[in-house]
PDB file of all heavy atoms in Angstrom:
ATOM      1  N   LYS A  22     -73.694  30.123 -29.687  1.00 96.00           N
ATOM      2  CA  LYS A  22     -74.080  31.531 -29.391  1.00 96.00           C
ATOM      3  C   LYS A  22     -74.085  32.456 -30.605  1.00 96.00           C
ATOM      4  O   LYS A  22     -74.890  33.137 -30.951  1.00 96.00           O
ATOM      5  CB  LYS A  22     -73.222  32.143 -28.307  1.00 96.00           C
ATOM      6  CG  LYS A  22     -73.368  33.662 -28.137  1.00 96.00           C
ATOM      7  CD  LYS A  22     -72.490  34.229 -27.053  1.00 96.00           C
ATOM      8  CE  LYS A  22     -71.145  34.799 -27.502  1.00 96.00           C
ATOM      9  NZ  LYS A  22     -71.335  36.106 -28.225  1.00 96.00           N
ATOM     10  N   ASN A  23     -72.887  32.335 -31.336  1.00 96.00           N
ATOM     11  CA  ASN A  23     -72.699  33.188 -32.490  1.00 96.00           C
ATOM     12  C   ASN A  23     -73.518  32.898 -33.693  1.00 96.00           C
ATOM     13  O   ASN A  23     -73.519  33.541 -34.740  1.00 96.00           O
ATOM     14  CB  ASN A  23     -71.139  33.356 -32.817  1.00 96.00           C
ATOM     15  CG  ASN A  23     -70.432  34.071 -31.783  1.00 96.00           C
ATOM     16  OD1 ASN A  23     -71.055  34.730 -30.887  1.00 96.00           O
ATOM     17  ND2 ASN A  23     -69.029  33.990 -31.820  1.00 96.00           N
ATOM     18  N   LEU A  26     -77.603  33.937 -32.546  1.00 96.00           N
ATOM     19  CA  LEU A  26     -77.992  35.450 -32.468  1.00 96.00           C
ATOM     20  C   LEU A  26     -78.302  36.053 -33.730  1.00 96.00           C
ATOM     21  O   LEU A  26     -79.365  36.720 -33.906  1.00 96.00           O
ATOM     22  CB  LEU A  26     -76.893  36.198 -31.649  1.00 96.00           C
ATOM     23  CG  LEU A  26     -76.810  35.890 -30.112  1.00 96.00           C
ATOM     24  CD1 LEU A  26     -75.556  36.445 -29.520  1.00 96.00           C
ATOM     25  CD2 LEU A  26     -78.000  36.370 -29.358  1.00 96.00           C
ATOM     26  N   PRO A  27     -77.470  35.886 -34.813  1.00 97.00           N
ATOM     27  CA  PRO A  27     -77.852  36.396 -36.168  1.00 97.00           C
ATOM     28  C   PRO A  27     -79.065  35.707 -36.656  1.00 97.00           C
ATOM     29  O   PRO A  27     -79.980  36.372 -37.326  1.00 97.00           O
ATOM     30  CB  PRO A  27     -76.615  36.213 -37.017  1.00 97.00           C
ATOM     31  CG  PRO A  27     -75.707  35.269 -36.300  1.00 97.00           C
ATOM     32  CD  PRO A  27     -75.998  35.424 -34.731  1.00 97.00           C
ATOM     33  N   ARG A  94     -74.217  43.271 -28.105  1.00 80.00           N
ATOM     34  CA  ARG A  94     -73.690  43.905 -29.297  1.00 80.00           C
ATOM     35  C   ARG A  94     -74.356  43.370 -30.550  1.00 80.00           C
ATOM     36  O   ARG A  94     -74.528  44.116 -31.505  1.00 80.00           O
ATOM     37  CB  ARG A  94     -72.223  43.525 -29.387  1.00 80.00           C
ATOM     38  CG  ARG A  94     -71.241  44.615 -28.948  1.00 80.00           C
ATOM     39  CD  ARG A  94     -69.927  44.393 -29.606  1.00 80.00           C
ATOM     40  NE  ARG A  94     -69.962  44.719 -30.963  1.00 80.00           N
ATOM     41  CZ  ARG A  94     -69.880  46.088 -31.447  1.00 80.00           C
ATOM     42  NH1 ARG A  94     -69.945  47.006 -30.628  1.00 80.00           N
ATOM     43  NH2 ARG A  94     -69.906  46.255 -32.708  1.00 80.00           N
ATOM     44  N   SER A  95     -74.789  42.099 -30.478  1.00 79.00           N
ATOM     45  CA  SER A  95     -75.272  41.558 -31.669  1.00 79.00           C
ATOM     46  C   SER A  95     -76.589  42.125 -32.134  1.00 79.00           C
ATOM     47  O   SER A  95     -77.156  41.827 -33.179  1.00 79.00           O
ATOM     48  CB  SER A  95     -75.537  39.996 -31.496  1.00 79.00           C
ATOM     49  OG  SER A  95     -74.439  39.464 -30.831  1.00 79.00           O
ATOM     50  N   PHE A  98     -77.158  43.392 -35.584  1.00 91.00           N
ATOM     51  CA  PHE A  98     -77.628  42.536 -36.674  1.00 91.00           C
ATOM     52  C   PHE A  98     -79.067  42.935 -37.062  1.00 91.00           C
ATOM     53  O   PHE A  98     -79.520  42.482 -38.088  1.00 91.00           O
ATOM     54  CB  PHE A  98     -77.601  41.102 -36.303  1.00 91.00           C
ATOM     55  CG  PHE A  98     -76.295  40.468 -36.060  1.00 91.00           C
ATOM     56  CD1 PHE A  98     -76.194  39.612 -35.009  1.00 91.00           C
ATOM     57  CD2 PHE A  98     -75.317  40.766 -36.793  1.00 91.00           C
ATOM     58  CE1 PHE A  98     -74.908  39.023 -34.719  1.00 91.00           C
ATOM     59  CE2 PHE A  98     -73.955  40.151 -36.594  1.00 91.00           C
ATOM     60  CZ  PHE A  98     -73.849  39.321 -35.534  1.00 91.00           C
ATOM     61  N   ARG A 123     -65.203  52.844 -37.181  1.00 57.00           N
ATOM     62  CA  ARG A 123     -65.212  51.539 -36.696  1.00 57.00           C
ATOM     63  C   ARG A 123     -66.031  51.538 -35.343  1.00 57.00           C
ATOM     64  O   ARG A 123     -66.135  52.549 -34.732  1.00 57.00           O
ATOM     65  CB  ARG A 123     -63.745  51.198 -36.236  1.00 57.00           C
ATOM     66  CG  ARG A 123     -62.941  50.851 -37.510  1.00 57.00           C
ATOM     67  CD  ARG A 123     -61.487  50.516 -37.134  1.00 57.00           C
ATOM     68  NE  ARG A 123     -61.436  49.181 -36.501  1.00 57.00           N
ATOM     69  CZ  ARG A 123     -60.326  48.720 -35.994  1.00 57.00           C
ATOM     70  NH1 ARG A 123     -59.252  49.395 -35.884  1.00 57.00           N
ATOM     71  NH2 ARG A 123     -60.396  47.494 -35.511  1.00 57.00           N
ATOM     72  N   PRO A 124     -66.530  50.440 -34.919  1.00 82.00           N
ATOM     73  CA  PRO A 124     -66.360  49.228 -35.472  1.00 82.00           C
ATOM     74  C   PRO A 124     -67.599  48.639 -36.422  1.00 82.00           C
ATOM     75  O   PRO A 124     -67.588  47.502 -36.628  1.00 82.00           O
ATOM     76  CB  PRO A 124     -66.129  48.250 -34.403  1.00 82.00           C
ATOM     77  CG  PRO A 124     -67.038  48.819 -33.273  1.00 82.00           C
ATOM     78  CD  PRO A 124     -67.114  50.307 -33.580  1.00 82.00           C
ATOM     79  N   ILE A 125     -68.323  49.511 -36.802  1.00 89.00           N
ATOM     80  CA  ILE A 125     -69.528  48.977 -37.698  1.00 89.00           C
ATOM     81  C   ILE A 125     -69.506  49.625 -38.976  1.00 89.00           C
ATOM     82  O   ILE A 125     -70.549  49.499 -39.694  1.00 89.00           O
ATOM     83  CB  ILE A 125     -70.933  49.044 -36.915  1.00 89.00           C
ATOM     84  CG1 ILE A 125     -71.322  50.600 -36.726  1.00 89.00           C
ATOM     85  CG2 ILE A 125     -71.002  48.269 -35.783  1.00 89.00           C
ATOM     86  CD1 ILE A 125     -72.772  50.680 -36.353  1.00 89.00           C
ATOM     87  N   ASP A 126     -68.433  50.187 -39.474  1.00 91.00           N
ATOM     88  CA  ASP A 126     -68.345  50.892 -40.677  1.00 91.00           C
ATOM     89  C   ASP A 126     -68.633  49.901 -41.890  1.00 91.00           C
ATOM     90  O   ASP A 126     -69.329  50.284 -42.873  1.00 91.00           O
ATOM     91  CB  ASP A 126     -67.022  51.570 -40.903  1.00 91.00           C
ATOM     92  CG  ASP A 126     -65.846  50.608 -40.668  1.00 91.00           C
ATOM     93  OD1 ASP A 126     -65.920  49.767 -39.788  1.00 91.00           O
ATOM     94  OD2 ASP A 126     -64.844  50.731 -41.425  1.00 91.00           O
ATOM     95  N   GLN A 127     -68.148  48.677 -41.677  1.00 95.00           N
ATOM     96  CA  GLN A 127     -68.430  47.731 -42.784  1.00 95.00           C
ATOM     97  C   GLN A 127     -69.896  47.313 -42.966  1.00 95.00           C
ATOM     98  O   GLN A 127     -70.376  47.081 -43.912  1.00 95.00           O
ATOM     99  CB  GLN A 127     -67.480  46.471 -42.604  1.00 95.00           C
ATOM    100  CG  GLN A 127     -65.984  46.764 -42.671  1.00 95.00           C
ATOM    101  CD  GLN A 127     -65.573  47.482 -43.846  1.00 95.00           C
ATOM    102  OE1 GLN A 127     -65.823  47.061 -45.054  1.00 95.00           O
ATOM    103  NE2 GLN A 127     -64.966  48.659 -43.641  1.00 95.00           N
ATOM    104  N   HIS A 128     -70.582  47.223 -41.746  1.00 95.00           N
ATOM    105  CA  HIS A 128     -72.034  46.981 -41.807  1.00 95.00           C
ATOM    106  C   HIS A 128     -72.669  48.018 -42.587  1.00 95.00           C
ATOM    107  O   HIS A 128     -73.514  47.827 -43.515  1.00 95.00           O
ATOM    108  CB  HIS A 128     -72.622  47.007 -40.423  1.00 95.00           C
ATOM    109  CG  HIS A 128     -72.043  45.976 -39.512  1.00 95.00           C
ATOM    110  ND1 HIS A 128     -72.925  44.994 -38.960  1.00 95.00           N
ATOM    111  CD2 HIS A 128     -70.898  45.665 -38.924  1.00 95.00           C
ATOM    112  CE1 HIS A 128     -72.189  44.177 -38.035  1.00 95.00           C
ATOM    113  NE2 HIS A 128     -70.963  44.604 -38.152  1.00 95.00           N
ATOM    114  N   ILE A 162     -62.455  44.511 -44.675  1.00 95.00           N
ATOM    115  CA  ILE A 162     -61.952  43.347 -43.784  1.00 95.00           C
ATOM    116  C   ILE A 162     -63.058  42.374 -43.680  1.00 95.00           C
ATOM    117  O   ILE A 162     -64.264  42.745 -43.858  1.00 95.00           O
ATOM    118  CB  ILE A 162     -61.658  43.901 -42.383  1.00 95.00           C
ATOM    119  CG1 ILE A 162     -62.717  44.838 -41.851  1.00 95.00           C
ATOM    120  CG2 ILE A 162     -60.332  44.524 -42.152  1.00 95.00           C
ATOM    121  CD1 ILE A 162     -62.753  44.931 -40.331  1.00 95.00           C
ATOM    122  N   PRO A 163     -62.715  41.109 -43.559  1.00 97.00           N
ATOM    123  CA  PRO A 163     -63.756  40.047 -43.516  1.00 97.00           C
ATOM    124  C   PRO A 163     -64.530  40.075 -42.166  1.00 97.00           C
ATOM    125  O   PRO A 163     -64.325  39.059 -41.374  1.00 97.00           O
ATOM    126  CB  PRO A 163     -63.003  38.739 -43.882  1.00 97.00           C
ATOM    127  CG  PRO A 163     -61.584  39.034 -43.386  1.00 97.00           C
ATOM    128  CD  PRO A 163     -61.337  40.496 -43.431  1.00 97.00           C
ATOM    129  N   SER A 164     -65.288  41.028 -41.998  1.00 96.00           N
ATOM    130  CA  SER A 164     -66.012  41.157 -40.710  1.00 96.00           C
ATOM    131  C   SER A 164     -67.211  40.081 -40.667  1.00 96.00           C
ATOM    132  O   SER A 164     -68.012  40.028 -41.626  1.00 96.00           O
ATOM    133  CB  SER A 164     -66.611  42.556 -40.530  1.00 96.00           C
ATOM    134  OG  SER A 164     -67.796  42.564 -39.738  1.00 96.00           O
ATOM    135  N   VAL A 165     -67.318  39.333 -39.626  1.00 96.00           N
ATOM    136  CA  VAL A 165     -68.345  38.344 -39.452  1.00 96.00           C
ATOM    137  C   VAL A 165     -69.700  39.031 -39.465  1.00 96.00           C
ATOM    138  O   VAL A 165     -70.588  38.653 -40.286  1.00 96.00           O
ATOM    139  CB  VAL A 165     -68.166  37.471 -38.186  1.00 96.00           C
ATOM    140  CG1 VAL A 165     -69.186  36.383 -38.094  1.00 96.00           C
ATOM    141  CG2 VAL A 165     -66.794  36.897 -38.156  1.00 96.00           C
ATOM    142  N   GLY A 166     -69.863  39.887 -38.531  1.00 95.00           N
ATOM    143  CA  GLY A 166     -71.148  40.628 -38.365  1.00 95.00           C
ATOM    144  C   GLY A 166     -71.574  41.318 -39.665  1.00 95.00           C
ATOM    145  O   GLY A 166     -72.821  41.308 -39.958  1.00 95.00           O
ATOM    146  N   ALA A 167     -70.654  42.025 -40.326  1.00 97.00           N
ATOM    147  CA  ALA A 167     -71.058  42.777 -41.553  1.00 97.00           C
ATOM    148  C   ALA A 167     -71.486  41.819 -42.567  1.00 97.00           C
ATOM    149  O   ALA A 167     -72.530  42.082 -43.269  1.00 97.00           O
ATOM    150  CB  ALA A 167     -69.864  43.596 -41.966  1.00 97.00           C
ATOM    151  N   GLU A 169     -72.844  39.011 -42.229  1.00 98.00           N
ATOM    152  CA  GLU A 169     -74.119  38.436 -41.893  1.00 98.00           C
ATOM    153  C   GLU A 169     -75.310  39.570 -42.064  1.00 98.00           C
ATOM    154  O   GLU A 169     -76.371  39.228 -42.668  1.00 98.00           O
ATOM    155  CB  GLU A 169     -74.226  37.962 -40.371  1.00 98.00           C
ATOM    156  CG  GLU A 169     -73.280  36.813 -40.275  1.00 98.00           C
ATOM    157  CD  GLU A 169     -73.024  36.259 -38.832  1.00 98.00           C
ATOM    158  OE1 GLU A 169     -73.101  37.132 -37.880  1.00 98.00           O
ATOM    159  OE2 GLU A 169     -72.754  35.130 -38.691  1.00 98.00           O
ATOM    160  N   ALA A 188     -66.484  37.145 -44.737  1.00 98.00           N
ATOM    161  CA  ALA A 188     -66.035  36.315 -43.626  1.00 98.00           C
ATOM    162  C   ALA A 188     -66.447  34.854 -44.038  1.00 98.00           C
ATOM    163  O   ALA A 188     -67.522  34.678 -44.635  1.00 98.00           O
ATOM    164  CB  ALA A 188     -66.501  36.753 -42.344  1.00 98.00           C
ATOM    165  N   GLU A 190     -66.714  32.184 -41.589  1.00 98.00           N
ATOM    166  CA  GLU A 190     -66.994  31.393 -40.409  1.00 98.00           C
ATOM    167  C   GLU A 190     -68.082  30.501 -40.555  1.00 98.00           C
ATOM    168  O   GLU A 190     -69.040  30.815 -41.272  1.00 98.00           O
ATOM    169  CB  GLU A 190     -67.331  32.439 -39.191  1.00 98.00           C
ATOM    170  CG  GLU A 190     -66.062  32.919 -38.405  1.00 98.00           C
ATOM    171  CD  GLU A 190     -65.167  33.785 -39.139  1.00 98.00           C
ATOM    172  OE1 GLU A 190     -65.332  34.055 -40.331  1.00 98.00           O
ATOM    173  OE2 GLU A 190     -64.185  34.223 -38.475  1.00 98.00           O
ATOM    174  N   GLU A 192     -70.560  29.872 -38.743  1.00 98.00           N
ATOM    175  CA  GLU A 192     -71.846  30.495 -38.365  1.00 98.00           C
ATOM    176  C   GLU A 192     -72.543  31.178 -39.482  1.00 98.00           C
ATOM    177  O   GLU A 192     -73.785  31.270 -39.517  1.00 98.00           O
ATOM    178  CB  GLU A 192     -71.708  31.489 -37.246  1.00 98.00           C
ATOM    179  CG  GLU A 192     -71.277  30.807 -35.831  1.00 98.00           C
ATOM    180  CD  GLU A 192     -69.816  30.547 -35.783  1.00 98.00           C
ATOM    181  OE1 GLU A 192     -68.994  30.826 -36.680  1.00 98.00           O
ATOM    182  OE2 GLU A 192     -69.431  29.766 -34.757  1.00 98.00           O
ATOM    183  N   ARG A 234     -68.816  25.960 -31.523  1.00 98.00           N
ATOM    184  CA  ARG A 234     -67.457  25.483 -31.712  1.00 98.00           C
ATOM    185  C   ARG A 234     -66.558  26.041 -30.710  1.00 98.00           C
ATOM    186  O   ARG A 234     -65.388  25.507 -30.451  1.00 98.00           O
ATOM    187  CB  ARG A 234     -66.916  25.831 -33.164  1.00 98.00           C
ATOM    188  CG  ARG A 234     -66.871  27.213 -33.474  1.00 98.00           C
ATOM    189  CD  ARG A 234     -66.646  27.456 -34.973  1.00 98.00           C
ATOM    190  NE  ARG A 234     -66.850  28.919 -35.329  1.00 98.00           N
ATOM    191  CZ  ARG A 234     -65.894  29.769 -35.424  1.00 98.00           C
ATOM    192  NH1 ARG A 234     -64.635  29.417 -35.332  1.00 98.00           N
ATOM    193  NH2 ARG A 234     -66.112  31.006 -35.734  1.00 98.00           N
ATOM    194  N   THR A 305     -59.989  34.061 -32.350  1.00 95.00           N
ATOM    195  CA  THR A 305     -59.679  35.129 -31.327  1.00 95.00           C
ATOM    196  C   THR A 305     -60.457  34.688 -30.019  1.00 95.00           C
ATOM    197  O   THR A 305     -60.100  35.012 -28.920  1.00 95.00           O
ATOM    198  CB  THR A 305     -60.052  36.500 -31.712  1.00 95.00           C
ATOM    199  OG1 THR A 305     -59.859  37.349 -30.574  1.00 95.00           O
ATOM    200  CG2 THR A 305     -61.364  36.736 -32.296  1.00 95.00           C
ATOM    201  N   ASP A 306     -61.690  34.073 -30.297  1.00 95.00           N
ATOM    202  CA  ASP A 306     -62.517  33.729 -29.069  1.00 95.00           C
ATOM    203  C   ASP A 306     -61.929  32.518 -28.304  1.00 95.00           C
ATOM    204  O   ASP A 306     -62.524  32.157 -27.331  1.00 95.00           O
ATOM    205  CB  ASP A 306     -63.918  33.280 -29.668  1.00 95.00           C
ATOM    206  CG  ASP A 306     -64.744  34.521 -29.994  1.00 95.00           C
ATOM    207  OD1 ASP A 306     -64.314  35.699 -29.773  1.00 95.00           O
ATOM    208  OD2 ASP A 306     -65.870  34.427 -30.551  1.00 95.00           O
ATOM    209  N   THR A 327     -54.393  39.382 -33.659  1.00 92.00           N
ATOM    210  CA  THR A 327     -54.481  40.226 -34.756  1.00 92.00           C
ATOM    211  C   THR A 327     -55.973  40.723 -35.051  1.00 92.00           C
ATOM    212  O   THR A 327     -56.172  41.671 -35.873  1.00 92.00           O
ATOM    213  CB  THR A 327     -53.960  39.623 -36.103  1.00 92.00           C
ATOM    214  OG1 THR A 327     -54.854  38.701 -36.595  1.00 92.00           O
ATOM    215  CG2 THR A 327     -52.715  38.908 -35.916  1.00 92.00           C
ATOM    216  N   VAL A 328     -56.892  40.178 -34.388  1.00 90.00           N
ATOM    217  CA  VAL A 328     -58.298  40.430 -34.604  1.00 90.00           C
ATOM    218  C   VAL A 328     -58.853  41.577 -33.846  1.00 90.00           C
ATOM    219  O   VAL A 328     -59.466  42.616 -34.333  1.00 90.00           O
ATOM    220  CB  VAL A 328     -59.178  39.258 -34.584  1.00 90.00           C
ATOM    221  CG1 VAL A 328     -60.679  39.550 -34.898  1.00 90.00           C
ATOM    222  CG2 VAL A 328     -58.712  38.154 -35.496  1.00 90.00           C
ATOM    223  N   PHE A 329     -58.640  41.542 -32.476  1.00 86.00           N
ATOM    224  CA  PHE A 329     -59.099  42.588 -31.655  1.00 86.00           C
ATOM    225  C   PHE A 329     -57.896  43.343 -30.913  1.00 86.00           C
ATOM    226  O   PHE A 329     -56.874  42.630 -30.588  1.00 86.00           O
ATOM    227  CB  PHE A 329     -60.110  42.081 -30.633  1.00 86.00           C
ATOM    228  CG  PHE A 329     -61.397  41.744 -31.198  1.00 86.00           C
ATOM    229  CD1 PHE A 329     -61.856  40.478 -31.386  1.00 86.00           C
ATOM    230  CD2 PHE A 329     -62.314  42.818 -31.547  1.00 86.00           C
ATOM    231  CE1 PHE A 329     -63.066  40.207 -31.989  1.00 86.00           C
ATOM    232  CE2 PHE A 329     -63.475  42.518 -32.206  1.00 86.00           C
ATOM    233  CZ  PHE A 329     -63.967  41.230 -32.332  1.00 86.00           C
ATOM    234  N   GLU A 330     -58.017  44.566 -30.672  1.00 80.00           N
ATOM    235  CA  GLU A 330     -56.976  45.281 -30.148  1.00 80.00           C
ATOM    236  C   GLU A 330     -56.516  44.990 -28.685  1.00 80.00           C
ATOM    237  O   GLU A 330     -55.456  44.628 -28.338  1.00 80.00           O
ATOM    238  CB  GLU A 330     -57.175  46.845 -30.251  1.00 80.00           C
ATOM    239  CG  GLU A 330     -56.798  47.397 -31.490  1.00 80.00           C
ATOM    240  CD  GLU A 330     -57.531  48.607 -31.856  1.00 80.00           C
ATOM    241  OE1 GLU A 330     -57.893  49.399 -30.902  1.00 80.00           O
ATOM    242  OE2 GLU A 330     -57.913  48.821 -33.006  1.00 80.00           O
ATOM    243  N   ARG A 332     -57.195  42.401 -26.114  1.00 86.00           N
ATOM    244  CA  ARG A 332     -57.897  41.167 -25.675  1.00 86.00           C
ATOM    245  C   ARG A 332     -56.923  40.320 -24.753  1.00 86.00           C
ATOM    246  O   ARG A 332     -57.108  39.106 -24.785  1.00 86.00           O
ATOM    247  CB  ARG A 332     -58.305  40.372 -26.882  1.00 86.00           C
ATOM    248  CG  ARG A 332     -59.609  39.727 -26.560  1.00 86.00           C
ATOM    249  CD  ARG A 332     -60.234  38.926 -27.575  1.00 86.00           C
ATOM    250  NE  ARG A 332     -61.534  38.338 -27.026  1.00 86.00           N
ATOM    251  CZ  ARG A 332     -62.326  37.594 -27.762  1.00 86.00           C
ATOM    252  NH1 ARG A 332     -62.098  37.411 -28.998  1.00 86.00           N
ATOM    253  NH2 ARG A 332     -63.456  37.158 -27.243  1.00 86.00           N
ATOM    254  N   ARG A 372     -64.748  35.532 -22.704  1.00 94.00           N
ATOM    255  CA  ARG A 372     -63.685  34.484 -22.936  1.00 94.00           C
ATOM    256  C   ARG A 372     -62.586  34.578 -21.922  1.00 94.00           C
ATOM    257  O   ARG A 372     -61.913  33.613 -21.614  1.00 94.00           O
ATOM    258  CB  ARG A 372     -63.098  34.567 -24.392  1.00 94.00           C
ATOM    259  CG  ARG A 372     -64.251  34.498 -25.525  1.00 94.00           C
ATOM    260  CD  ARG A 372     -65.037  33.208 -25.443  1.00 94.00           C
ATOM    261  NE  ARG A 372     -66.082  33.371 -26.358  1.00 94.00           N
ATOM    262  CZ  ARG A 372     -67.124  32.462 -26.434  1.00 94.00           C
ATOM    263  NH1 ARG A 372     -67.212  31.414 -25.743  1.00 94.00           N
ATOM    264  NH2 ARG A 372     -68.074  32.603 -27.335  1.00 94.00           N
TER     265      ARG A 372
HETATM  266  C1  UD1 B 501     -67.917  37.939 -34.244  1.00 97.47           C
HETATM  267  C2  UD1 B 501     -68.300  37.168 -33.012  1.00 97.47           C
HETATM  268  C3  UD1 B 501     -67.238  37.305 -31.996  1.00 97.47           C
HETATM  269  C4  UD1 B 501     -65.814  37.048 -32.613  1.00 97.47           C
HETATM  270  C5  UD1 B 501     -65.667  37.887 -33.849  1.00 97.47           C
HETATM  271  C6  UD1 B 501     -64.232  37.501 -34.458  1.00 97.47           C
HETATM  272  C7  UD1 B 501     -70.672  37.073 -33.142  1.00 97.47           C
HETATM  273  C8  UD1 B 501     -71.955  37.388 -32.529  1.00 97.47           C
HETATM  274  N1  UD1 B 501     -69.542  37.481 -32.482  1.00 97.47           N
HETATM  275  O1  UD1 B 501     -68.002  39.350 -33.797  1.00 97.47           O
HETATM  276  O2  UD1 B 501     -67.457  36.373 -30.954  1.00 97.47           O
HETATM  277  O3  UD1 B 501     -64.886  37.425 -31.707  1.00 97.47           O
HETATM  278  O4  UD1 B 501     -66.700  37.696 -34.761  1.00 97.47           O
HETATM  279  O5  UD1 B 501     -64.242  36.189 -34.812  1.00 97.47           O
HETATM  280  O6  UD1 B 501     -70.685  36.373 -34.147  1.00 97.47           O
HETATM  281  N2  UD1 B 501     -64.565  45.663 -37.658  1.00 97.47           N
HETATM  282  C9  UD1 B 501     -64.389  46.926 -38.265  1.00 97.47           C
HETATM  283  N3  UD1 B 501     -65.559  47.443 -38.925  1.00 97.47           N
HETATM  284  C10 UD1 B 501     -66.729  46.667 -38.899  1.00 97.47           C
HETATM  285  C11 UD1 B 501     -66.815  45.478 -38.346  1.00 97.47           C
HETATM  286  C12 UD1 B 501     -65.663  44.994 -37.694  1.00 97.47           C
HETATM  287  O7  UD1 B 501     -63.386  47.583 -38.235  1.00 97.47           O
HETATM  288  O8  UD1 B 501     -67.717  47.238 -39.525  1.00 97.47           O
HETATM  289  C13 UD1 B 501     -63.364  45.091 -37.017  1.00 97.47           C
HETATM  290  C14 UD1 B 501     -63.510  44.800 -35.540  1.00 97.47           C
HETATM  291  O9  UD1 B 501     -63.248  45.958 -34.736  1.00 97.47           O
HETATM  292  C15 UD1 B 501     -62.511  43.671 -35.294  1.00 97.47           C
HETATM  293  C16 UD1 B 501     -62.572  42.901 -36.614  1.00 97.47           C
HETATM  294  O10 UD1 B 501     -63.129  43.804 -37.542  1.00 97.47           O
HETATM  295  O11 UD1 B 501     -61.195  44.180 -35.138  1.00 97.47           O
HETATM  296  C17 UD1 B 501     -63.473  41.634 -36.543  1.00 97.47           C
HETATM  297  O12 UD1 B 501     -64.727  41.968 -36.260  1.00 97.47           O
HETATM  298  P1  UD1 B 501     -66.050  41.125 -36.708  1.00 97.47           P
HETATM  299  O13 UD1 B 501     -65.592  39.995 -37.579  1.00 97.47           O
HETATM  300  O14 UD1 B 501     -67.009  42.006 -37.256  1.00 97.47           O
HETATM  301  O15 UD1 B 501     -66.551  40.591 -35.401  1.00 97.47           O
HETATM  302  P2  UD1 B 501     -68.021  40.532 -34.810  1.00 97.47           P
HETATM  303  O16 UD1 B 501     -68.956  40.191 -35.964  1.00 97.47           O
HETATM  304  O17 UD1 B 501     -68.336  41.838 -34.051  1.00 97.47           O
END
Side-chain angles (χ1 to χ4, degrees):
K22 166 180 100 69
N23 290 349
L26 291 169
R94 258 202 77 73
S95 312
F98 293 140
R123 287 178 75 187
I125 61 160
D126 55 320
Q127 298 303 305
H128 297 241
I162 42 163
S164 155
V165 179
E169 294 171 332
E190 270 67 2
E192 290 76 12
R234 66 191 168 97
T305 174
D306 285 352
T327 78
V328 180
F329 286 107
E330 270 155 37
R332 211 177 185 178
R372 306 302 171 186

